[in-house]
Amino acid sequence: MNPQEIIQAEKQYIAHTYVRPPFVLTRGEGVYVYDADGKKYLDTAAGIAVNALGYNDPELVKAIQDGAAGLLHTSNLFYTESQVKLAQALVEKSFADKVYFGNTGTEVVEAALKFARKYHVERGDTARKNFVAFRGSFHGRTMGSLAATDSEKYQAPFRPLMPGVSFANFNDLDSVRAAITDETAAIILEPVQGEGGVYPASDEFLRGLRALCNERGALIIFDEIQCGVGRTGKLWAYEHSGVAPDLMTVAKPLAGGLPIGALLMTDAVASAMHVGEHGTTFGGGPMITSVALSVFNRVSDPNFLAHVTETGNYLMERLSEINSPHIKEVRGRGLMVGVELDIEAAKIRTAGYAHGLLLIQAREKVVRFVPPLVFQKSHVDELVEKFGAILAGVQ
Ligand SMILES: *Cc1c(COP(=O)(O)O)cnc(C)c1O
């Protein structure tokens, strides 16, 4: 099919839940993707913070080939080595004692909500069914995770959602104090909000939250689906503050571009769940976990993480040097950076295509940079040059 035929057929056969630009991507190499006409784009989006190792990475391709040729799928009715090894690696490099595997982000958020409730049920505290989430949050699109996602547009047509979620203000401990009750099962938040506009939680806020939850008997769920696995220059975003959660969701980059979700938790939480109380057909399959183990081993290497920090700092620095009246703020951590504009980010995103730049936004006025973690300084230079030119050309 030629590009026009593909675009036409998409309109005919695919449910219209997305808008897409008028070209068709066909391949990727390093941190670049190419469309059907051979046009090259620098990728600052990485499939929404997913392709940590970029495209056509030889080691990743090999891991996928080996995984596919080996045991493809078995269901969770059987033991497999790669599932256990990935869980061990995640546990050894985090606060967690145990792992539950799913297939996507929203699915492990859903699991986190269930596990948190079960923790309290198991302790005889059956009133604790509620959750506190935050303004600007994004946790997914299923009925539980959507209930914790602060978006009237996403929620409104689908109510009733899971009841019992209240929203506090991000980085505002007093508003959490006002929202938390003796019926709060857990507080759920992203240590760096992604979709909401790239807002890092302050270290003091997370420390205060931990103390408050300990005092009030509520659990903490960190959603590190976007900010975890090296994105902020530390393996986990929570490490910047030194505050550990009780549960943590991980997904997007964990298998380098293949779908996976993982819920990490303490033994105290895990011990509340018994055989048959939760499950999945595909989650933690041998092929996907063998690929994820290969990705995780590389990304968690201290040298790799130091590269992310250095490149991220350079990106922030270079973006801050752009002299444009449209830039209101540059913020973020590592290679998760938001540029707040005084104009619609969609306009900039569209202009990016003509300049050979793939951009994504967060909310209306923030351009969000979440490139492959293998981004080099030369790529930052190219990004900044193009982004600056686009801003300079805005009417
Ligand atoms: C993307 C995202 C999700 C949802 O993950 P899916 O894989 O799209 O279901 C949840 N939380 C955060 C913070 C995310 O960025």
Side-chain angles (χ1 to χ4, degrees):
M1 290 167 95
N2 70 38
Q4 282 324 309
E5 288 167 342
I6 293 170
I7 289 166
Q8 210 46 51
E10 192 267 358
K11 298 202 183 316
Q12 185 171 352
Y13 298 113
I14 307 277
H16 289 162
T17 63
Y18 306 104
V19 277
R20 311 182 210 240
F23 53 84
V24 176
L25 295 177
T26 53
R27 68 186 184 91
E29 188 65 47
V31 300
Y32 294 93
V33 292
Y34 296 80
D35 72 15
D37 298 323
K39 186 172 162 62
K40 182 180 177 182
Y41 303 83
L42 178 66
D43 183 11
T44 75
I48 319 182
V50 169
N51 302 306
L53 301 172
Y55 301 87
N56 201 18
D57 174 89
E59 222 177 303
L60 177 58
V61 171
K62 174 85 167 51
I64 294 169
Q65 284 167 342
D66 291 350
L71 196 59
L72 189 61
H73 170 79
T74 59
S75 85
N76 280 300
L77 300 176
F78 303 98
Y79 291 110
T80 62
E81 185 180 6
S82 55
Q83 183 181 97
V84 173
K85 277 187 159 170
L86 177 61
Q88 183 183 3
L90 289 166
V91 164
E92 285 177 356
K93 294 194 168 157
S94 74
F95 74 95
D97 303 305
K98 295 236 177 349
V99 181
Y100 170 86
F101 288 111
N103 304 284
T104 62
T106 196
E107 194 187 326
V108 288
V109 169
E110 218 52 56
L113 300 175
K114 288 179 73 174
F115 282 41
R117 279 187 175 176
K118 188 68 200 315
Y119 168 87
H120 296 293
V121 168
E122 201 72 0
R123 295 157 76 96
D125 196 350
T126 51
R128 287 194 184 264
K129 301 295 185 201
N130 297 345
F131 297 91
V132 176
F134 288 88
R135 294 285 161 218
S137 65
F138 183 86
H139 298 294
R141 308 280 204 150
T142 53
M143 292 300 186
S145 64
L146 180 56
T149 290
D150 176 34
S151 167
E152 182 60 19
K153 182 176 143 197
Y154 294 168
Q155 286 195 356
F158 305 109
R159 293 192 180 117
L161 306 171
M162 178 187 74
V165 181
S166 54
F167 288 89
N169 297 327
F170 201 64
N171 277 333
D172 175 358
L173 200 57
D174 282 337
S175 84
V176 185
R177 257 186 221 110
I180 199 168
T181 72
D182 291 341
E183 298 185 349
T184 303
I187 290 189
I188 178 166
L189 74 158
E190 301 149 83
V192 183
Q193 286 191 336
E195 303 297 314
V198 190
Y199 288 99
S202 75
D203 296 347
E204 311 83 76
F205 176 63
L206 293 181
R207 287 188 205 117
L209 209 58
R210 184 71 268 182
L212 180 64
C213 286
N214 290 353
E215 181 193 315
R216 300 298 305 267
L219 299 173
I220 296 183
I221 304 167
F222 282 164
D223 181 345
E224 293 221 9
I225 289 169
Q226 187 160 155
C227 62
V229 195
R231 174 62 53 191
T232 67
K234 293 203 184 282
L235 185 55
W236 311 113
Y238 74 75
E239 290 176 47
H240 294 280
S241 67
V243 171
D246 302 286
L247 302 103
M248 181 167 79
T249 55
V250 178
K252 287 187 164 92
L254 184 57
L258 297 180
I260 187 170
L263 174 63
L264 280 59
M265 71 203 90
T266 60
D267 264 331
V269 173
S271 62
M273 292 295 292
H274 307 303
V275 170
E277 288 179 341
H278 198 53
T280 161
T281 302
F282 286 110
M287 188 258 184
I288 213 86
T289 47
S290 66
V291 173
L293 183 63
S294 158
V295 173
F296 188 72
N297 282 340
R298 286 170 68 189
V299 173
S300 59
D301 184 299
N303 294 323
F304 189 99
L305 295 170
H307 165 83
V308 175
T309 299
E310 198 183 325
T311 316
N313 288 344
Y314 185 64
L315 175 60
M316 289 269 275
E317 197 183 300
R318 292 294 323 270
L319 286 170
S320 305
E321 284 165 14
I322 297 177
N323 187 6
S324 166
H326 296 300
I327 295 183
K328 293 176 71 182
E329 191 182 21
V330 179
R331 57 177 177 258
R333 249 174 180 167
L335 282 171
M336 182 169 184
V337 176
V339 179
E340 176 112 29
L341 303 173
D342 69 350
I343 48 175
E344 296 295 304
K347 220 172 148 176
I348 303 301
R349 200 186 62 204
T350 305
Y353 302 135
H355 285 77
L357 195 59
L358 283 199
L359 298 171
I360 54 171
Q361 64 194 89
R363 300 273 156 129
E364 285 74 30
K365 294 188 172 168
V366 178
V367 174
R368 172 175 34 156
F369 295 109
V370 282
L373 301 181
V374 293
F375 229 57
Q376 303 292 326
K377 285 184 179 170
S378 60
H379 302 127
V380 171
D381 291 336
E382 182 182 344
L383 179 165
V384 169
E385 189 187 309
K386 289 181 168 171
F387 185 58
I390 293 163
L391 286 173
V394 167
Q395 309 308 329

PDB file of all heavy atoms in Angstrom, residues 48 103-107 109 138-141 190 192 194-195 223-227 249 251-252 260 368, ligand 1:
ATOM      1  N   ILE A  48       6.248   7.608  23.246  1.00  0.00           N
ATOM      2  CA  ILE A  48       5.806   8.035  24.595  1.00  0.00           C
ATOM      3  C   ILE A  48       6.668   7.379  25.676  1.00  0.00           C
ATOM      4  O   ILE A  48       6.193   6.578  26.484  1.00  0.00           O
ATOM      5  CB  ILE A  48       4.301   7.801  24.846  1.00  0.00           C
ATOM      6  CG1 ILE A  48       3.462   8.172  23.611  1.00  0.00           C
ATOM      7  CG2 ILE A  48       3.860   8.644  26.069  1.00  0.00           C
ATOM      8  CD1 ILE A  48       1.959   8.007  23.792  1.00  0.00           C
ATOM      9  N   ASN A 103       0.668  -6.654  31.522  1.00  0.00           N
ATOM     10  CA  ASN A 103       1.047  -6.420  30.130  1.00  0.00           C
ATOM     11  C   ASN A 103       1.165  -4.960  29.732  1.00  0.00           C
ATOM     12  O   ASN A 103       1.758  -4.647  28.708  1.00  0.00           O
ATOM     13  CB  ASN A 103       0.007  -7.059  29.211  1.00  0.00           C
ATOM     14  CG  ASN A 103      -0.153  -8.528  29.514  1.00  0.00           C
ATOM     15  OD1 ASN A 103       0.683  -9.326  29.146  1.00  0.00           O
ATOM     16  ND2 ASN A 103      -1.215  -8.871  30.225  1.00  0.00           N
ATOM     17  N   THR A 104       0.553  -4.083  30.514  1.00  0.00           N
ATOM     18  CA  THR A 104       0.531  -2.664  30.164  1.00  0.00           C
ATOM     19  C   THR A 104       0.571  -1.855  31.446  1.00  0.00           C
ATOM     20  O   THR A 104       0.424  -2.405  32.544  1.00  0.00           O
ATOM     21  CB  THR A 104      -0.772  -2.274  29.430  1.00  0.00           C
ATOM     22  OG1 THR A 104      -1.872  -2.521  30.310  1.00  0.00           O
ATOM     23  CG2 THR A 104      -0.953  -3.041  28.134  1.00  0.00           C
ATOM     24  N   GLY A 105       0.683  -0.548  31.273  1.00  0.00           N
ATOM     25  CA  GLY A 105       0.690   0.337  32.419  1.00  0.00           C
ATOM     26  C   GLY A 105      -0.621   0.315  33.183  1.00  0.00           C
ATOM     27  O   GLY A 105      -0.665   0.041  34.386  1.00  0.00           O
ATOM     28  N   THR A 106      -1.689   0.589  32.468  1.00  0.00           N
ATOM     29  CA  THR A 106      -2.989   0.705  33.135  1.00  0.00           C
ATOM     30  C   THR A 106      -3.343  -0.589  33.879  1.00  0.00           C
ATOM     31  O   THR A 106      -3.947  -0.569  34.940  1.00  0.00           O
ATOM     32  CB  THR A 106      -4.092   1.089  32.113  1.00  0.00           C
ATOM     33  OG1 THR A 106      -5.232   1.547  32.830  1.00  0.00           O
ATOM     34  CG2 THR A 106      -4.465  -0.051  31.208  1.00  0.00           C
ATOM     35  N   GLU A 107      -2.909  -1.699  33.328  1.00  0.00           N
ATOM     36  CA  GLU A 107      -3.235  -2.979  33.936  1.00  0.00           C
ATOM     37  C   GLU A 107      -2.526  -3.176  35.282  1.00  0.00           C
ATOM     38  O   GLU A 107      -3.108  -3.750  36.212  1.00  0.00           O
ATOM     39  CB  GLU A 107      -2.805  -4.080  32.954  1.00  0.00           C
ATOM     40  CG  GLU A 107      -3.345  -5.426  33.261  1.00  0.00           C
ATOM     41  CD  GLU A 107      -2.742  -6.480  32.342  1.00  0.00           C
ATOM     42  OE1 GLU A 107      -2.465  -6.184  31.159  1.00  0.00           O
ATOM     43  OE2 GLU A 107      -2.553  -7.588  32.830  1.00  0.00           O
ATOM     44  N   VAL A 109      -1.545  -0.606  37.173  1.00  0.00           N
ATOM     45  CA  VAL A 109      -2.172   0.370  38.078  1.00  0.00           C
ATOM     46  C   VAL A 109      -3.424  -0.272  38.685  1.00  0.00           C
ATOM     47  O   VAL A 109      -3.655  -0.202  39.897  1.00  0.00           O
ATOM     48  CB  VAL A 109      -2.540   1.674  37.335  1.00  0.00           C
ATOM     49  CG1 VAL A 109      -3.429   2.561  38.207  1.00  0.00           C
ATOM     50  CG2 VAL A 109      -1.283   2.429  36.923  1.00  0.00           C
ATOM     51  N   PHE A 138      -2.008  11.202  35.586  1.00  0.00           N
ATOM     52  CA  PHE A 138      -2.453  10.251  34.558  1.00  0.00           C
ATOM     53  C   PHE A 138      -2.050   8.857  35.003  1.00  0.00           C
ATOM     54  O   PHE A 138      -0.871   8.597  35.259  1.00  0.00           O
ATOM     55  CB  PHE A 138      -1.836  10.541  33.183  1.00  0.00           C
ATOM     56  CG  PHE A 138      -2.352   9.596  32.124  1.00  0.00           C
ATOM     57  CD1 PHE A 138      -3.530   9.873  31.438  1.00  0.00           C
ATOM     58  CD2 PHE A 138      -1.688   8.404  31.849  1.00  0.00           C
ATOM     59  CE1 PHE A 138      -4.029   8.988  30.484  1.00  0.00           C
ATOM     60  CE2 PHE A 138      -2.193   7.511  30.904  1.00  0.00           C
ATOM     61  CZ  PHE A 138      -3.360   7.803  30.213  1.00  0.00           C
ATOM     62  N   HIS A 139      -3.025   7.955  35.110  1.00  0.00           N
ATOM     63  CA  HIS A 139      -2.722   6.586  35.524  1.00  0.00           C
ATOM     64  C   HIS A 139      -3.273   5.533  34.568  1.00  0.00           C
ATOM     65  O   HIS A 139      -3.053   4.343  34.799  1.00  0.00           O
ATOM     66  CB  HIS A 139      -3.232   6.339  36.941  1.00  0.00           C
ATOM     67  CG  HIS A 139      -2.589   7.235  37.970  1.00  0.00           C
ATOM     68  ND1 HIS A 139      -1.241   7.160  38.286  1.00  0.00           N
ATOM     69  CD2 HIS A 139      -3.095   8.262  38.706  1.00  0.00           C
ATOM     70  CE1 HIS A 139      -0.955   8.086  39.199  1.00  0.00           C
ATOM     71  NE2 HIS A 139      -2.049   8.765  39.461  1.00  0.00           N
ATOM     72  N   GLY A 140      -3.994   5.957  33.535  1.00  0.00           N
ATOM     73  CA  GLY A 140      -4.483   4.970  32.568  1.00  0.00           C
ATOM     74  C   GLY A 140      -5.953   5.165  32.249  1.00  0.00           C
ATOM     75  O   GLY A 140      -6.577   6.132  32.682  1.00  0.00           O
ATOM     76  N   ARG A 141      -6.500   4.232  31.473  1.00  0.00           N
ATOM     77  CA  ARG A 141      -7.826   4.428  30.870  1.00  0.00           C
ATOM     78  C   ARG A 141      -8.861   3.387  31.268  1.00  0.00           C
ATOM     79  O   ARG A 141      -9.976   3.401  30.750  1.00  0.00           O
ATOM     80  CB  ARG A 141      -7.689   4.373  29.349  1.00  0.00           C
ATOM     81  CG  ARG A 141      -6.632   5.299  28.781  1.00  0.00           C
ATOM     82  CD  ARG A 141      -7.116   6.715  28.681  1.00  0.00           C
ATOM     83  NE  ARG A 141      -6.349   7.407  27.668  1.00  0.00           N
ATOM     84  CZ  ARG A 141      -6.833   8.411  26.940  1.00  0.00           C
ATOM     85  NH1 ARG A 141      -8.058   8.839  27.115  1.00  0.00           N
ATOM     86  NH2 ARG A 141      -6.080   9.005  26.038  1.00  0.00           N
ATOM     87  N   GLU A 190       2.539  10.049  40.580  1.00  0.00           N
ATOM     88  CA  GLU A 190       3.733   9.932  39.745  1.00  0.00           C
ATOM     89  C   GLU A 190       4.821  10.811  40.367  1.00  0.00           C
ATOM     90  O   GLU A 190       4.599  12.010  40.519  1.00  0.00           O
ATOM     91  CB  GLU A 190       3.439  10.453  38.334  1.00  0.00           C
ATOM     92  CG  GLU A 190       2.322   9.747  37.596  1.00  0.00           C
ATOM     93  CD  GLU A 190       1.598  10.704  36.633  1.00  0.00           C
ATOM     94  OE1 GLU A 190       2.088  10.904  35.515  1.00  0.00           O
ATOM     95  OE2 GLU A 190       0.556  11.252  37.016  1.00  0.00           O
ATOM     96  N   VAL A 192       7.317  12.004  38.985  1.00  0.00           N
ATOM     97  CA  VAL A 192       7.351  13.107  38.025  1.00  0.00           C
ATOM     98  C   VAL A 192       6.097  12.951  37.165  1.00  0.00           C
ATOM     99  O   VAL A 192       5.959  11.972  36.441  1.00  0.00           O
ATOM    100  CB  VAL A 192       8.592  13.083  37.104  1.00  0.00           C
ATOM    101  CG1 VAL A 192       8.590  14.314  36.187  1.00  0.00           C
ATOM    102  CG2 VAL A 192       9.882  13.034  37.912  1.00  0.00           C
ATOM    103  N   GLY A 194       3.811  13.043  34.153  1.00  0.00           N
ATOM    104  CA  GLY A 194       4.145  13.043  32.731  1.00  0.00           C
ATOM    105  C   GLY A 194       3.095  13.754  31.897  1.00  0.00           C
ATOM    106  O   GLY A 194       3.275  14.904  31.495  1.00  0.00           O
ATOM    107  N   GLU A 195       1.974  13.076  31.680  1.00  0.00           N
ATOM    108  CA  GLU A 195       0.907  13.627  30.834  1.00  0.00           C
ATOM    109  C   GLU A 195       0.422  14.981  31.356  1.00  0.00           C
ATOM    110  O   GLU A 195      -0.008  15.830  30.581  1.00  0.00           O
ATOM    111  CB  GLU A 195      -0.282  12.665  30.787  1.00  0.00           C
ATOM    112  CG  GLU A 195       0.040  11.251  30.308  1.00  0.00           C
ATOM    113  CD  GLU A 195       0.547  11.203  28.885  1.00  0.00           C
ATOM    114  OE1 GLU A 195      -0.057  11.859  28.019  1.00  0.00           O
ATOM    115  OE2 GLU A 195       1.559  10.522  28.644  1.00  0.00           O
ATOM    116  N   ASP A 223       3.517   5.670  40.763  1.00  0.00           N
ATOM    117  CA  ASP A 223       3.341   5.268  39.369  1.00  0.00           C
ATOM    118  C   ASP A 223       4.578   5.750  38.612  1.00  0.00           C
ATOM    119  O   ASP A 223       4.691   6.930  38.262  1.00  0.00           O
ATOM    120  CB  ASP A 223       2.053   5.884  38.810  1.00  0.00           C
ATOM    121  CG  ASP A 223       1.805   5.483  37.358  1.00  0.00           C
ATOM    122  OD1 ASP A 223       2.749   4.984  36.712  1.00  0.00           O
ATOM    123  OD2 ASP A 223       0.679   5.683  36.872  1.00  0.00           O
ATOM    124  N   GLU A 224       5.509   4.818  38.392  1.00  0.00           N
ATOM    125  CA  GLU A 224       6.743   5.153  37.658  1.00  0.00           C
ATOM    126  C   GLU A 224       6.706   4.582  36.243  1.00  0.00           C
ATOM    127  O   GLU A 224       7.733   4.250  35.655  1.00  0.00           O
ATOM    128  CB  GLU A 224       7.983   4.683  38.437  1.00  0.00           C
ATOM    129  CG  GLU A 224       8.192   5.444  39.742  1.00  0.00           C
ATOM    130  CD  GLU A 224       9.660   5.800  40.009  1.00  0.00           C
ATOM    131  OE1 GLU A 224      10.501   5.620  39.118  1.00  0.00           O
ATOM    132  OE2 GLU A 224       9.944   6.276  41.133  1.00  0.00           O
ATOM    133  N   ILE A 225       5.509   4.463  35.706  1.00  0.00           N
ATOM    134  CA  ILE A 225       5.363   3.906  34.362  1.00  0.00           C
ATOM    135  C   ILE A 225       6.100   4.760  33.331  1.00  0.00           C
ATOM    136  O   ILE A 225       6.723   4.246  32.408  1.00  0.00           O
ATOM    137  CB  ILE A 225       3.861   3.769  34.021  1.00  0.00           C
ATOM    138  CG1 ILE A 225       3.257   2.644  34.867  1.00  0.00           C
ATOM    139  CG2 ILE A 225       3.648   3.537  32.530  1.00  0.00           C
ATOM    140  CD1 ILE A 225       1.744   2.557  34.838  1.00  0.00           C
ATOM    141  N   GLN A 226       6.058   6.084  33.535  1.00  0.00           N
ATOM    142  CA  GLN A 226       6.751   6.975  32.591  1.00  0.00           C
ATOM    143  C   GLN A 226       8.114   7.441  33.111  1.00  0.00           C
ATOM    144  O   GLN A 226       9.073   7.536  32.360  1.00  0.00           O
ATOM    145  CB  GLN A 226       5.857   8.193  32.288  1.00  0.00           C
ATOM    146  CG  GLN A 226       6.390   9.084  31.202  1.00  0.00           C
ATOM    147  CD  GLN A 226       5.333   9.975  30.562  1.00  0.00           C
ATOM    148  OE1 GLN A 226       5.643  11.019  30.022  1.00  0.00           O
ATOM    149  NE2 GLN A 226       4.080   9.575  30.599  1.00  0.00           N
ATOM    150  N   CYS A 227       8.210   7.726  34.401  1.00  0.00           N
ATOM    151  CA  CYS A 227       9.436   8.333  34.932  1.00  0.00           C
ATOM    152  C   CYS A 227      10.450   7.304  35.443  1.00  0.00           C
ATOM    153  O   CYS A 227      11.577   7.669  35.782  1.00  0.00           O
ATOM    154  CB  CYS A 227       9.104   9.351  36.012  1.00  0.00           C
ATOM    155  SG  CYS A 227       8.264   8.663  37.457  1.00  0.00           S
ATOM    156  N   THR A 249       4.284   0.978  40.165  1.00  0.00           N
ATOM    157  CA  THR A 249       3.974   0.462  38.835  1.00  0.00           C
ATOM    158  C   THR A 249       5.069   0.858  37.846  1.00  0.00           C
ATOM    159  O   THR A 249       5.566   1.988  37.874  1.00  0.00           O
ATOM    160  CB  THR A 249       2.617   0.998  38.336  1.00  0.00           C
ATOM    161  OG1 THR A 249       2.633   2.433  38.401  1.00  0.00           O
ATOM    162  CG2 THR A 249       1.477   0.471  39.189  1.00  0.00           C
ATOM    163  N   ALA A 251       6.251   0.169  33.569  1.00  0.00           N
ATOM    164  CA  ALA A 251       5.795  -0.391  32.290  1.00  0.00           C
ATOM    165  C   ALA A 251       6.600   0.177  31.123  1.00  0.00           C
ATOM    166  O   ALA A 251       7.651  -0.371  30.783  1.00  0.00           O
ATOM    167  CB  ALA A 251       4.293  -0.157  32.085  1.00  0.00           C
ATOM    168  N   LYS A 252       6.140   1.271  30.561  1.00  0.00           N
ATOM    169  CA  LYS A 252       6.554   1.761  29.240  1.00  0.00           C
ATOM    170  C   LYS A 252       7.904   1.236  28.697  1.00  0.00           C
ATOM    171  O   LYS A 252       7.910   0.492  27.741  1.00  0.00           O
ATOM    172  CB  LYS A 252       6.497   3.283  29.207  1.00  0.00           C
ATOM    173  CG  LYS A 252       5.046   3.787  29.174  1.00  0.00           C
ATOM    174  CD  LYS A 252       4.953   5.271  28.969  1.00  0.00           C
ATOM    175  CE  LYS A 252       3.554   5.692  28.552  1.00  0.00           C
ATOM    176  NZ  LYS A 252       2.655   6.074  29.634  1.00  0.00           N
ATOM    177  N   ILE A 260       4.743  -4.598  28.358  1.00  0.00           N
ATOM    178  CA  ILE A 260       4.929  -5.285  29.636  1.00  0.00           C
ATOM    179  C   ILE A 260       4.506  -4.331  30.746  1.00  0.00           C
ATOM    180  O   ILE A 260       4.567  -3.111  30.582  1.00  0.00           O
ATOM    181  CB  ILE A 260       6.411  -5.713  29.836  1.00  0.00           C
ATOM    182  CG1 ILE A 260       6.559  -6.587  31.091  1.00  0.00           C
ATOM    183  CG2 ILE A 260       7.336  -4.501  29.909  1.00  0.00           C
ATOM    184  CD1 ILE A 260       7.927  -7.248  31.243  1.00  0.00           C
ATOM    185  N   ARG A 368       6.781  18.100  25.408  1.00  0.00           N
ATOM    186  CA  ARG A 368       7.416  17.136  26.316  1.00  0.00           C
ATOM    187  C   ARG A 368       8.499  16.364  25.582  1.00  0.00           C
ATOM    188  O   ARG A 368       8.239  15.721  24.575  1.00  0.00           O
ATOM    189  CB  ARG A 368       6.337  16.170  26.831  1.00  0.00           C
ATOM    190  CG  ARG A 368       6.883  15.010  27.633  1.00  0.00           C
ATOM    191  CD  ARG A 368       5.764  14.153  28.210  1.00  0.00           C
ATOM    192  NE  ARG A 368       4.576  14.064  27.369  1.00  0.00           N
ATOM    193  CZ  ARG A 368       3.709  13.060  27.414  1.00  0.00           C
ATOM    194  NH1 ARG A 368       3.875  12.076  28.253  1.00  0.00           N
ATOM    195  NH2 ARG A 368       2.663  13.051  26.620  1.00  0.00           N
TER     196      ARG A 368
HETATM  197  C1  LIG B   1       1.310   5.699  30.010  1.00  0.00           C
HETATM  198  C2  LIG B   1       1.008   5.768  31.465  1.00  0.00           C
HETATM  199  C3  LIG B   1       0.070   4.904  32.054  1.00  0.00           C
HETATM  200  C4  LIG B   1      -0.761   3.935  31.252  1.00  0.00           C
HETATM  201  O1  LIG B   1       0.028   2.987  30.614  1.00  0.00           O
HETATM  202  P1  LIG B   1      -0.569   2.165  29.347  1.00  0.00           P
HETATM  203  O2  LIG B   1       0.506   1.190  29.021  1.00  0.00           O
HETATM  204  O3  LIG B   1      -0.846   3.156  28.268  1.00  0.00           O
HETATM  205  O4  LIG B   1      -1.804   1.502  29.818  1.00  0.00           O
HETATM  206  C5  LIG B   1      -0.109   4.996  33.419  1.00  0.00           C
HETATM  207  N1  LIG B   1       0.590   5.856  34.171  1.00  0.00           N
HETATM  208  C6  LIG B   1       1.512   6.685  33.644  1.00  0.00           C
HETATM  209  C7  LIG B   1       2.288   7.598  34.541  1.00  0.00           C
HETATM  210  C8  LIG B   1       1.736   6.688  32.266  1.00  0.00           C
HETATM  211  O5  LIG B   1       2.624   7.538  31.735  1.00  0.00           O
END
